Amino acid sequence: MDAFTAGLLQRIKTTESDLTRARDEGDEFLVEVEQGELDDLHRLAAEHGVEVGMSAV
C-alpha cells in the first residue's frame, strides 16, 4: 500500500470516528461538517481507485 492510500484510509477512519462522536453528542453542526468531509474523502478514494470497504457509519 502506498503512502497516499494509507493516508487516505486513515483520514476516512478518523473522520468516521469523529462523525460517530458528533452524533453521540448530538452536535448537529459537527455532524454536517464531518459527513461532508467523509463524503469528500469517499469521492477522492473512488476517483483514485482506492477501495474503502464497508463503513460502520
Side-chain angles (χ1 to χ4, degrees):
M1 178 181 310
D2 62 28
F4 173 79
T5 300
L8 183 57
L9 292 174
Q10 182 58 49
R11 287 181 61 197
I12 289 171
K13 181 178 177 181
T14 300
T15 303
E16 287 174 338
S17 177
D18 292 345
L19 177 57
T20 298
R21 187 175 324 110
R23 285 181 177 156
D24 290 346
E25 294 173 359
D27 187 335
E28 294 300 320
F29 176 74
L30 190 54
V31 167
E32 291 294 323
V33 170
E34 296 298 344
Q35 185 63 60
E37 176 72 8
L38 189 58
D39 292 345
D40 288 344
L41 291 169
H42 279 274
R43 179 190 48 75
L44 185 61
E47 288 176 359
H48 291 276
V50 176
E51 288 191 35
V52 176
M54 295 300 290
S55 165
V57 179

